[in-house]
Amino acid sequence: MEYKKINNLLGWLCFVIAATTYILTLEPSVSFWDCGEFISCAYRLQVSHQPGYPLFAMLGKLFSLLSFGNNAKVPYFTNMGSAIASAAAIMFLFWTITAFAKKLLLNRDDLSDNTRTTLIMGAGLAGALAFTFTDTFWFSAVETIVFALSALCTSMVFWAILKWDAHADEPGADKWLVFIAYVIGLSIGIHLLNLLTIPAVTLVYYFRRSKKATAKSAWIAFFISLVILGTVQFGIRQFTIKLAAYFDLFFVNSLGLGFGSGAAVFFLLLIGALVFGIVYSIRNNKPALNLAFLCVAFIYFGYSSFVYIPIRATANTNLDNTHPDNAFTLNSYLNRDQYGSTPLVSGPYFDSKIIDQTEGANMYRKGEKQYEVIGKQQNYVYDRTTIFPRMYSQEGQDPLFYRQWMQLGENESPTFATNLGFFFSWQTYQMYFRYFFWNFIGRTNDMDGQQENANPFKLTGYLDGDWNSGIFDGIRHVPQSVLHSVTYTPLYGLPFVIGLIGMVYHFKRKKKDALIIALLWFFTGLAIIIYVNQPSVQPRERDYSYVCSFYAFAIWIGLGVIAIADLALKKLNAQTAAIAATLICLLAAPVVLAKQEWKAHDRSTKWVAHDMAYNYLISCPPNAILFTYGDNDTYSLWYDQEVENIRPDVRIVNLSLFTGDWYIRQMQRKMNESAPLPITMPFDKYKEGVRDYISLNDKNIPGYIELKDVFDFITSDNKDAMVQYQSGNFSNYLPTKRFKITINPDDVLKNGVITPDQKSRLTDTLKWTYTSDNIMKDNLAMLDILSHNNWKRPICFTTTIGQSNLIGLQPYLYKEGFTYRLIPFKPDTSLRDQLEKSNTMVMYNNVMNKFKFGNFKNARYLDHESTTMFYPVMMSTFLTLSQSLINEGHPDLALKVMHKYDDVMPNLDVDINVTGSKYLLAQTAYQLHDNVLANKFTNYINNYVTDQLDYNYYVMQNNGSMLSTRTIQFGLQILNGLAQLTKDNHQTALANKLETEAKDYETKFAPVLGQLGGKQ
């Protein structure tokens, strides 16, 4: 069979293997993080978060149609879209590797055609199939996320430039360059990562067209590639919309025309300029200029998918992030202004002081008839700055993290050396190379390890989120809870070693081609690290951002086949060496990866994200207002409501978005079956630039003030109700933090907030102290709702919301499942934790009769969010309910709750904190006199604690610096507690066993416990 046919068939074989793998392990419903939002936006063609993913949404809509009206199947098919895109990326990777391999072997006269073909195809199979089963790529391949399609765009671009390279001397070959430009334009509507292929593509072009490449000219070509990258990223993607915005400003504010008129004129001029350039280049026979204009035009063709954003924003969809219906808002949306900016070349240290402030350009918003100035950009001058700032953020806990990571004293200032130290130790190693090693050396587990100061050269070390070859695990005495976890995936470093062999071989034999791959690896990996400049701990691990650099390394895994075959030629004939090298690399890379990674990526039985969102919604009374905050208690909720139409009467309010005037305005209109929120403020009272921040100016007013009076005061436009600053500006202020709402019992009963038999528990006044010294827009809108709701709609908060978002209402919040409901009962001041109260019988009905449990018990794989976030939430829910039932005299119902927990929830070894909470399960079961169940829980706890203590004892003997003293102290506390608990409940044998273990460990850890006692 001829080479071309073999190459095509094996490429499609890789597609089939990858697609089959991903479809078999596909998540059947919504996943955590952005997936719920992406599915909702695709299904109903809505506007997602910045910078917008319009082409991704439209392609997602296409796949959603395969559900044929069964909305519960929509996420399965949008997930399948990612699976198909990822499989196609694998196919293009195969053809990319074979193209490089073919160039490597082109002049090898010592090899027959059959041997060359065997080696080329072996390289393609080994590299492409290895990447198929890598951790990061596989994770994105089975859920609705942009990184699967982004990887496909990258693979297509890189494959296409090699096709051009192979046919560059033929007529019409430059069509491949135009095709690349079009894919780059399209990719902007999916994710910006694809732009980072531009330097590598430029170098391919340079090496192919250059008659004599020199180091100097290569550097010039490299800098030209950066100019092209900057032109596309900033010139085409950003400044096109910015210029359109300023055209619109002139036409609307100066000429009095309608919104969009100036933008339309600008785009007509842009199209005219491109057409003129193309026609001029043809008529004057300027092929290079013609190619440049065609490429720019086709980038714009692809980029035109962003027309979707203002069109759908104008339609006022339910999900309409920042409502970008005009050029200025769209420009801010594309630039991700909401997330702020980070310094790159020069900037402050985290402890620098602001010594001056300058004003920048005007900022505009769309008014009724004109664009309005809402202020000016503020530029700060600092007392200390540095080049290449890495430790710059002054937000939240970032300064504390910098000090802890770099071991700086409380008042010690960072230097440029510590700045670089942070870059190399955290940004480069911890947030890139650790991920790289996950994919090619192995991974200990899927716990978040961002803050674990791991040593890359360790034999013993931290476990959470660490890379791990598995080779030294016998020596390291890794805990059984880790070794038996499905997320323990040691790869023995085999894919990494083969890739290194391939890389070294490639640089020796074909330096220019190797340099191109290295450039792709750098720009899709470390260059992102430099550009993004992550300040500190992220909400989640960020390995998905660097998947294309792992893609680049997989090319070298493939070329490792040729390198190993060359070594084998000393002992074997050429054909045998080729076959042997192919088999060795297939076994050592794809087979090992598939075997180890499958169990950690088989999501086919997991329903946690879908069902936890369902539980949030089902916990709400009819027509409730549900306040959420984070991604994982919002996006899945949006999916359940927007796609499956679950509880469309509930109004979901994300407090992190409630700071935006556009979002408050959305909440003032009907959505699905939910009436507008009782927000009484007209738009002019809260629009951007108005009441963005109201600070406390405590007037020491005695007693508690009616919330409605406070709200009217802080939203008054009367200057007598404002404070005047030295600048002459007036601003509202908060005169007191002591609020009250007077209760009308008839309103509360009429609206079903309480049942008639609960009337004796009703308070006459809701009194609380506001917990912040300022009011932001989200607080302002919430106070408006509380002031004017009059108990007509139930007000609920997700149980996973941060306490700061509860604004001091804790004494009046009662659990009803996965939500806290605001109920005006008399406060119980005897409780240590006000959030452990429940509206017990309502909660019992929700948990026992309505809840779904995500197949927690039987799922073959549970992701990090399921185990670390929602598993403890489920445990806490059952514990709170059972204790409330006991306290209210229903031990029979409490026992049913405990058995329900045992039936639906697995025993997961998450960490010592979760295990400590399990102690309460055992305690409750003993309290209910079910010793069998209690002993079962006790044994679960004992097995994990002793496993952790055994590991720490080994560490203490071998490397005391890695010792977890907290685990030792807490573990011994749990063991002693269990010993006493079982003794009190007459479980003599078990009590004696636990007591003996506790004494044994106390003896073993006596040196450590003695030191800790001395420090105390």
Side-chain angles (χ1 to χ4, degrees), residues 67-89:
S67 64
F68 293 106
N70 182 354
N71 288 11
K73 282 288 187 181
V74 166
Y76 178 81
F77 286 105
T78 58
N79 291 347
M80 187 180 288
S82 290
I84 297 300
S86 299

Coordinates of all heavy atoms in Angstrom, one line a residue, residues 67-89:
S67 N -29.9 16.0 20.6 CA -30.8 15.4 21.7 C -32.2 15.2 21.2 O -33.0 14.6 21.9 CB -30.7 16.4 22.9 OG -31.3 17.7 22.5
F68 N -32.6 15.8 20.1 CA -33.9 15.7 19.5 C -35.0 15.9 20.6 O -36.0 15.1 20.7 CB -34.1 14.3 18.9 CG -33.3 14.1 17.7 CD1 -32.1 13.3 17.8 CD2 -33.6 14.7 16.5 CE1 -31.3 13.1 16.6 CE2 -32.8 14.5 15.4 CZ -31.6 13.7 15.4
G69 N -34.9 17.0 21.3 CA -35.9 17.5 22.2 C -35.8 16.9 23.6 O -36.6 17.3 24.5
N70 N -35.0 15.9 23.8 CA -34.8 15.4 25.2 C -33.7 16.3 25.9 O -32.5 16.0 25.8 CB -34.3 13.9 25.1 CG -34.1 13.3 26.5 OD1 -34.2 14.0 27.5 ND2 -33.9 12.0 26.5
N71 N -34.2 17.3 26.6 CA -33.2 18.3 27.2 C -32.2 17.7 28.1 O -31.1 18.2 28.3 CB -34.0 19.4 27.8 CG -34.7 20.3 26.8 OD1 -34.8 19.9 25.7 ND2 -35.3 21.4 27.3
A72 N -32.6 16.6 28.8 CA -31.6 15.9 29.7 C -30.4 15.4 29.0 O -29.4 15.1 29.6 CB -32.3 14.9 30.5
K73 N -30.6 15.2 27.7 CA -29.5 14.6 26.9 C -28.6 15.7 26.2 O -27.6 15.4 25.6 CB -30.1 13.7 25.7 CG -30.5 12.3 26.2 CD -29.3 11.5 26.5 CE -29.7 10.1 26.9 NZ -28.5 9.3 27.2
V74 N -29.0 17.0 26.3 CA -28.3 18.0 25.7 C -26.8 18.0 26.2 O -25.9 18.1 25.3 CB -28.9 19.4 26.0 CG1 -28.0 20.6 25.7 CG2 -30.2 19.6 25.2
P75 N -26.5 17.9 27.5 CA -25.1 18.0 27.9 C -24.3 16.8 27.4 O -23.1 16.9 27.1 CB -25.1 18.0 29.4 CG -26.5 17.4 29.8 CD -27.4 17.9 28.7
Y76 N -25.0 15.6 27.2 CA -24.3 14.5 26.7 C -23.7 14.7 25.3 O -22.6 14.4 25.0 CB -25.2 13.2 26.7 CG -24.5 12.0 26.1 CD1 -23.7 11.2 26.9 CD2 -24.7 11.6 24.8 CE1 -23.1 10.1 26.4 CE2 -24.1 10.5 24.2 CZ -23.3 9.7 25.0 OH -22.7 8.6 24.5
F77 N -24.6 15.4 24.5 CA -24.2 15.6 23.1 C -23.2 16.8 23.0 O -22.4 16.8 22.1 CB -25.4 15.8 22.2 CG -26.1 14.5 22.0 CD1 -27.3 14.2 22.6 CD2 -25.5 13.5 21.1 CE1 -27.9 12.9 22.4 CE2 -26.1 12.3 20.9 CZ -27.3 12.0 21.5
T78 N -23.4 17.8 23.8 CA -22.4 18.9 23.8 C -21.0 18.4 24.3 O -20.0 18.8 23.8 CB -22.8 20.1 24.6 OG1 -23.1 19.8 26.0 CG2 -24.1 20.8 24.0
N79 N -21.1 17.5 25.3 CA -19.8 16.8 25.8 C -19.2 16.0 24.6 O -18.0 16.0 24.4 CB -20.1 15.9 26.9 CG -20.5 16.7 28.2 OD1 -20.3 17.9 28.3 ND2 -21.0 16.0 29.2
M80 N -20.1 15.4 23.8 CA -19.6 14.6 22.7 C -19.0 15.5 21.7 O -18.0 15.1 21.0 CB -20.8 13.8 22.1 CG -20.3 12.9 21.0 SD -21.6 11.9 20.2 CE -22.1 10.8 21.5
G81 N -19.4 16.7 21.6 CA -18.8 17.7 20.7 C -17.3 17.9 21.1 O -16.4 17.9 20.2
S82 N -17.0 17.9 22.4 CA -15.6 18.0 22.8 C -14.9 16.8 22.5 O -13.7 16.8 22.2 CB -15.6 18.3 24.4 OG -16.0 19.6 24.6
A83 N -15.5 15.6 22.7 CA -14.9 14.3 22.4 C -14.5 14.2 21.0 O -13.4 13.8 20.6 CB -15.8 13.2 22.8
I84 N -15.4 14.6 20.1 CA -15.1 14.5 18.6 C -14.0 15.5 18.2 O -13.1 15.2 17.5 CB -16.4 14.8 17.8 CG1 -17.5 13.8 18.1 CG2 -16.1 14.8 16.3 CD1 -17.1 12.3 17.8
A85 N -14.1 16.7 18.8 CA -13.0 17.7 18.5 C -11.7 17.2 19.0 O -10.6 17.4 18.3 CB -13.4 19.0 19.2
S86 N -11.6 16.6 20.2 CA -10.4 16.1 20.8 C -9.8 15.0 20.0 O -8.6 14.9 19.7 CB -10.6 15.7 22.2 OG -11.0 16.8 23.0
A87 N -10.7 14.1 19.5 CA -10.3 13.0 18.7 C -9.7 13.5 17.3 O -8.7 13.0 16.8 CB -11.4 12.0 18.4
A88 N -10.3 14.5 16.8 CA -9.8 15.1 15.5 C -8.4 15.8 15.8 O -7.5 15.7 14.9 CB -10.8 16.2 15.0
A89 N -8.2 16.4 16.9 CA -6.9 16.9 17.3 C -5.9 15.8 17.3 O -4.7 16.0 16.9 CB -7.0 17.7 18.6

